[in-house]
Amino acid sequence: MNPELDYLDLIDLLSERHLLLRRITEKLWNDSSDIHISNSEWFIMARIYKKQPTIADISKSVDISRQAVHKFIKSLQSKDLVEVMNVKNNNKEKCIKLTLLGEACYEKNAALKASLVKKVADKIGEQQVAFLKDLLKSNWGLEEAYKE
């Protein structure tokens, strides 16, 4: 146990663990690749992987401003990680997909994250990891109670 975490409530504990895992995964990636990809860019790439959503769909699903999403997509495009295309029968909308390089990077990062999850499971147990995932995926009733 970490005594520094003893006085944190649930929300702050989740935040601390999230930040730690994000820092570690970003470092693992950057230590093994010449292509720097920010956490926000990974977040967007996760919404695109094996799909071709519109930019508007991505903006709605990531809780990042539309302007920021456009900025991240331009950055991903400049790294040759995504391709922006016109939507069929709609001149206004654009859809986005990962390039072959983008898919390869995404899959390599998924493997890095899986190795990190394995280390966590080795430390706390696979059943505990599965239980934690189930808890985090469960409906906590907050979306309905605190709609914007």
Side-chain angles (χ1 to χ4, degrees):
M1 292 289 231
N2 184 341
E4 293 175 16
L5 302 177
D6 284 347
Y7 300 100
L8 297 180
D9 62 23
L10 175 66
I11 293 168
D12 292 336
L13 279 169
L14 286 170
S15 183
E16 284 289 322
R17 291 302 186 195
H18 175 255
L19 290 172
L20 174 66
L21 290 169
R22 283 288 164 208
R23 272 196 310 271
I24 292 169
T25 56
E26 188 173 13
K27 182 175 177 9
L28 285 171
W29 174 260
N30 288 331
D31 288 351
S32 68
S33 176
D34 294 336
I35 303 171
H36 176 77
I37 303 173
S38 72
N39 283 323
S40 296
E41 290 170 331
W42 282 120
F43 202 52
I44 290 170
M45 288 175 69
R47 299 303 190 278
I48 300 167
Y49 184 68
K50 299 290 186 192
K51 299 179 198 135
Q52 291 187 18
T54 65
I55 293 174
D57 291 336
I58 295 167
S59 295
K60 289 175 195 162
S61 72
V62 294
D63 198 28
I64 299 172
S65 75
R66 191 174 173 92
Q67 187 177 12
V69 168
H70 277 279
K71 183 181 127 193
F72 290 127
I73 289 172
K74 285 229 181 288
S75 175
L76 290 166
Q77 209 173 3
S78 73
K79 298 171 192 175
D80 195 31
L81 298 171
V82 300
E83 181 182 342
V84 178
M85 303 160 302
N86 290 325
V87 173
K88 210 175 206 170
N89 303 322
N90 185 339
N91 294 334
K92 212 172 153 185
E93 285 279 6
K94 301 275 186 208
C95 67
I96 185 167
K97 74 173 195 171
L98 293 178
T99 62
L100 290 177
L101 175 62
E103 283 196 8
C105 288
Y106 184 85
E107 289 165 2
K108 180 181 175 185
N109 192 53
L112 290 171
K113 291 192 305 185
S115 71
L116 182 58
V117 170
K118 171 125 179 49
K119 286 183 181 181
V120 172
D122 290 346
K123 187 75 173 171
I124 69 169
E126 293 205 21
Q127 282 184 317
Q128 292 289 73
V129 170
F131 181 67
L132 179 58
K133 282 177 67 174
D134 287 344
L135 278 175
L136 293 171
K137 288 190 281 185
S138 67
N139 182 346
W140 294 4
L142 298 177
E143 291 84 4
E144 300 84 26
Y146 296 98
K147 281 193 176 182
E148 292 180 40

